[in-house]
Amino acid sequence: MLRYSILILLVACDGGIAGPSGGGRDTSPVIEDEADISLSLTGIDFGSVEVGTTYQEFVTITNRGTTELVVKTISVEAPFTANPLTVTVQPGGSSQVTVSVAATDYSEFNADLVFASNDPDGDVSIPLHAIAITDADGDGHDRVESGGDDCYDNPDADLGGVAAANIYPGAPEIWYDGVDENCDGASDYDQDGDGWESDAFNPDAAAGGGDCQDSNSEYFPAADDVPYDNRDTNCDGADDFDYDGDGSRSDQYGEGRDCDDNDPNVNLTADEQLNGKDDDCDGEIDTSCDISTSEYVYVGKGSYDQAGYAVALGDLDNDGYAEVIVGGPYYNAGSASASGRGIVGIFQGGETLPASPGDVSDADRTIQGDGGTDGLGNYVTVIGDFDGDGENDLAMSAMNINSNGGAVYILGGSDALSGRDTGDAMYTMSGTSSQYLGRGVATMADLDGDGLDDLAAAFSSSGNAIAFTYGGASGSESSTGADATWTETSSGEGFYRNAPVGSDLDGDGYDDLLFADGTTDTPSTDAGSVWVVWGQPGRYSGTQAFTSFATTIGTGASSSDGFGTLAQTGGDMTGDGVDEVWVYENDTAIYAFAGGAYLRGVHLDTASALVTYEWEGSYTAALMRRGGDFSGDGVDDMFVGFEDTGTGAFLWLKSELTGSGWASKTDYGGYASGTSDNANGYLAYGMAPLGGDINGDGKADYVVGDPQKESAASTPTKEGEAYVLFNEHM
């Protein structure tokens, strides 16, 4: 602290200077019998003082008289004070008065210290003076408190070697010493003035630090980091050539081999999935995918449920998102060989879905069979608008009910999503003993063009058969009461497992139904046949054999050809507005034939196929479905499942044509297989009749099931699983 000397003011007298011996008055003779006051000082100058600090001086009062001196008051104006304020002094005696000053603002102070007594000569006084310090360090800048601009004016403070005289506006700033030398108020750890402190002193971005280059204002944690310029402007330490942060550098700039650096799920170590893109950047899309890597899996709740025996996709509530529908017909079965109540789980679509949706019983909505052995969920499909209310309806079958007669329930979309069950079905068709009605159900088929989708349910009757009822029916009835019944003598499983999707195959504006059976004996044993039931304004009725009223558009050329082992309608590949016909000839090839009116009078010739997918290997296709546009060309592709691989597998065939005409292809769009847990080759036993947009991104997704999927290869259970395939074609 600064020390200040006491300046004794001298009072001029007769042109000279009077000292303290005069006591502040002249030296006239003492008058007897009177008090006579004399002061030790003629004035006090406290000099420069700090605001808020008290300074003291002392004045001695002497009584030179012969009688008692009574000083009645000692007074002074603030910020000066005196103590005591009254005093009595005996003749020849003296008394001391303390005079103090405590400046309260930055001003210069003057006042008179007045002594009023019984001295007949009257009051005496001395002047007082003090001035508040405004520039203690002498750097020419007054401190801020006094109205100046010096942010630090204390020369006695310990500032780590920085003198207070070196702190003032415009002074050279020494960065990172914790001292604001130039008094700009900015952080001493933010040299570039970008609002973020150097990470060397404050690494926490949440606390305003983390600036990795504090000499360059373009670098700070909240900066926009332009990828691939080799500058880490946002100071996150991430690789500037790995925009998606998946650990693989982009191949676009020659720095790595990440083929899609905007997608963290695409990188060199990713698992290839069947989704229309090259996940592992090996240059091949969807080849040799492992179904176990699927992110979205719906699992059976308990042993023997066989979830995924049947699966479907469709929008039941008109919100633009397809629901995932999973059937588990052996739900609640007591053993691997026992029947179960059965369950249908409905998982609602949406923009975001949980990565692990859970088991079927945790679905957004579940419907269970009424009886303990009904087997509900043997087949499921979004049949279309059966009752004309403007929303899609759900069709599901229970094959074991009624002594294995089976039944098909049609439940309104809103009812299915609001917790209703089979008892609330708008229409129920029941089979007779051992018919197994509902082995397969057609999807989106309006044969008479009345705006109502119709029911075509497969059953067994000395071979394969179809019970057909037009949309708008209600209540319950037996299959014998169907509007029409169509029969054929062979019993190939592909006939009903590949239940058709309604498509206009001849361009007349009416939906048609495509059926096939590779075990028919026309023209020779197991040559196979493909039929079309044409849509028409009039209604079908009665019982008829396929060969008597449906158009046979193709048969195998010779015995055991198995032409029509599978058949399905596909998207419009030629752009003529008419759907195409896809046919599998057993162990030979899959052919895509052009649709059109010519089909009413033609016997399909494999040489005239639009595209031929040659079948390679020793595995037999068992299921063929119209899966939606996975290749991104605007035309639905075809999904094919085959189950005799040990684990099961499926592939999707692109519907694209090469150039402008005929093309032949031996490749495929993608392939997925099971693992050892997918026992008995049942992966793809369940495949959705149609693709659907689950997450609303405008791309058709798909779902496949494996009812034999076990929790582990060594565990002989059949919980079953359904796998969701999100279409992300680039």
Side-chain angles (χ1 to χ4, degrees):
M1 181 178 292
L2 296 176
R3 294 182 176 275
Y4 300 93
S5 59
I6 303 301
L7 174 63
I8 301 177
L9 296 179
L10 303 179
V11 180
C13 180
D14 294 331
I17 302 298
S21 59
R25 39 188 311 190
D26 62 16
T27 57
S28 55
V30 177
I31 301 175
E32 294 182 359
D33 298 327
E34 290 184 357
D36 185 12
I37 188 170
S38 176
L39 304 178
S40 61
L41 298 176
T42 59
I44 302 175
D45 188 351
F46 288 92
S48 298
V49 298
E50 288 283 356
V51 171
T53 301
T54 300
Y55 299 84
Q56 294 181 338
E57 284 296 334
F58 304 95
V59 177
T60 301
I61 302 172
T62 302
N63 183 3
R64 298 187 306 162
T66 58
T67 62
E68 184 178 70
L69 173 65
V70 179
V71 181
K72 295 178 291 184
T73 61
I74 302 173
S75 60
V76 68
E77 295 180 354
F80 302 100
T81 59
N83 183 44
L85 298 179
T86 64
V87 65
T88 299
V89 184
Q90 298 302 316
S94 63
S95 182
Q96 190 177 67
V97 176
T98 302
V99 183
S100 304
V101 63
T104 57
D105 57 47
Y106 291 93
S107 302
E108 184 174 359
F109 307 100
N110 293 284
D112 289 326
L113 180 62
V114 180
F115 299 84
S117 68
N118 60 346
D119 185 331
D121 293 330
D123 298 344
V124 295
S125 64
I126 60 174
L128 307 179
H129 174 266
I131 185 169
I133 299 170
T134 59
D135 181 16
D137 57 13
D139 58 10
H141 292 263
D142 287 343
R143 61 183 57 171
V144 172
E145 296 86 348
S146 69
D149 56 7
D150 193 341
C151 60
Y152 211 93
D153 195 55
N154 184 356
D156 293 332
D158 181 6
L159 298 176
V162 180
N166 293 328
I167 303 174
Y168 55 85
E173 184 66 41
I174 301 173
W175 294 104
Y176 314 124
D177 62 355
V179 179
D180 182 15
E181 281 91 355
N182 64 6
C183 292
D184 64 358
S187 170
D188 194 51
Y189 302 98
D190 180 17
Q191 182 178 173
D192 55 16
D194 58 11
W196 299 82
E197 295 182 337
S198 168
D199 60 1
F201 299 92
N202 179 7
D204 186 0
D211 193 336
C212 56
Q213 288 197 30
D214 199 38
S215 60
N216 188 335
S217 61
E218 294 182 0
Y219 288 74
F220 53 88
D224 291 328
D225 192 6
V226 178
Y228 316 122
D229 63 357
N230 207 27
R231 300 196 313 157
D232 184 19
T233 51
N234 66 358
C235 297
D236 64 356
D239 188 337
D240 201 49
F241 292 95
D242 181 15
Y243 181 72
D244 55 17
D246 59 9
S248 295
R249 306 188 95 192
S250 171
D251 63 359
Q252 184 177 0
Y253 297 89
E255 297 289 337
R257 293 191 295 125
D258 190 337
C259 54
D260 185 358
D261 201 36
N262 291 298
D263 188 343
N265 295 317
V266 175
N267 55 71
L268 300 182
T269 60
D271 294 314
E272 186 67 23
Q273 298 191 36
L274 204 155
N275 53 16
K277 65 180 181 180
D278 183 7
D279 302 274
D280 58 5
C281 296
D282 64 353
E284 297 181 342
I285 298 176
D286 295 346
T287 55
S288 301
C289 306
D290 183 348
I291 197 64
S292 67
T293 64
S294 295
E295 184 178 5
Y296 296 87
V297 180
Y298 301 87
V299 186
K301 179 178 177 60
S303 299
Y304 324 121
D305 286 358
Q306 297 200 42
Y309 194 97
V311 292
L313 286 170
D315 185 2
L316 294 174
D317 53 3
N318 291 335
D319 64 353
Y321 303 103
E323 276 65 64
V324 179
I325 303 160
V326 180
Y330 294 90
Y331 178 75
N332 276 351
S335 69
S337 60
S339 299
R341 176 183 296 274
I343 191 171
V344 173
I346 304 174
F347 297 86
Q348 289 190 263
E351 291 183 6
T352 58
L353 297 174
S356 298
D359 66 55
V360 174
S361 68
D362 293 327
D364 295 297
R365 293 291 181 267
T366 59
I367 304 170
Q368 298 185 27
D370 290 334
T373 60
D374 284 2
L376 183 69
N378 178 82
Y379 199 90
V380 293
T381 189
V382 177
I383 193 174
D385 186 5
F386 186 79
D387 61 352
D389 65 353
E391 68 178 18
N392 288 322
D393 302 317
L394 173 64
M396 49 193 175
S397 67
M399 279 212 327
N400 298 330
I401 199 170
N402 302 326
S403 300
N404 298 329
V408 176
Y409 306 94
I410 299 179
L411 196 63
S414 295
D415 288 339
L417 290 173
S418 62
R420 302 294 180 89
D421 58 22
T422 56
D424 300 300
M426 66 177 71
Y427 177 72
T428 300
M429 179 184 286
S430 300
T432 60
S433 178
S434 299
Q435 273 192 339
Y436 297 103
L437 181 73
R439 283 183 160 187
V441 178
T443 300
M444 303 286 184
D446 177 14
L447 265 65
D448 61 351
D450 65 353
L452 304 180
D453 290 297
D454 308 321
L455 170 64
F459 67 96
S460 298
S461 177
S462 300
N464 290 315
I466 296 292
F468 182 83
T469 289
Y470 287 97
S474 61
S476 301
E477 64 181 349
S478 170
S479 59
T480 58
D483 291 329
T485 301
W486 307 322
T487 64
E488 62 117 349
T489 58
S490 298
S491 58
E493 186 177 297
F495 175 90
Y496 53 83
R497 288 193 58 201
N498 290 273
V501 174
S503 298
D504 183 6
L505 296 177
D506 59 355
D508 66 353
Y510 293 92
D511 285 343
D512 308 309
L513 291 177
L514 182 71
F515 296 95
D517 191 335
T519 65
T520 58
D521 297 330
T522 303
S524 57
T525 303
D526 292 337
S529 296
V530 180
W531 307 280
V532 178
V533 176
W534 302 106
Q536 59 184 26
R539 293 196 166 194
Y540 290 102
S541 62
T543 299
Q544 295 174 285
F546 275 102
T547 54
S548 67
F549 84 102
T551 299
T552 302
I553 63 173
T555 61
S558 59
S559 178
S560 301
D561 277 358
F563 185 81
T565 297
L566 308 175
Q568 196 58 260
T569 58
D572 178 14
M573 298 166 65
T574 61
D576 63 356
V578 180
D579 286 342
E580 322 301 2
V581 174
W582 292 61
V583 179
Y584 170 62
E585 187 173 48
N586 194 33
D587 297 334
T588 301
I590 292 178
Y591 307 96
F593 298 98
Y598 81 99
L599 290 175
R600 285 183 172 266
V602 72
H603 189 87
L604 293 175
D605 181 356
T606 57
S608 66
L610 295 174
V611 178
T612 299
Y613 287 92
E614 297 177 358
W615 200 253
E616 298 178 351
S618 59
Y619 306 125
T620 301
L623 200 61
M624 189 158 62
R625 297 297 206 192
R626 184 170 174 171
D629 178 18
F630 255 66
S631 59
D633 68 341
V635 181
D636 285 351
D637 302 318
M638 195 64 63
F639 277 69
V640 180
F642 42 104
E643 302 152 9
D644 52 358
T645 66
T647 63
F650 61 95
L651 54 81
W652 65 274
L653 305 179
K654 295 181 181 179
S655 58
E656 299 156 342
L657 289 173
T658 301
S660 58
W662 305 88
S664 178
K665 290 188 176 182
T666 57
D667 65 329
Y668 47 82
Y671 171 89
S673 61
T675 65
S676 60
D677 294 343
N678 297 92
N680 304 317
Y682 269 63
L683 176 63
Y685 186 90
M687 300 181 72
L690 283 173
D693 186 2
I694 300 172
N695 56 4
D697 63 357
K699 303 171 186 177
D701 308 309
Y702 201 60
V703 58
V704 298
D706 180 358
Q708 300 277 333
K709 176 65 172 65
E710 300 172 343
S711 58
S714 60
T715 305
T717 59
K718 300 176 182 180
E719 291 94 337
E721 288 184 350
Y723 306 92
V724 177
L725 311 176
F726 281 103
N727 185 357
E728 303 177 51
H729 62 251
M730 294 181 288

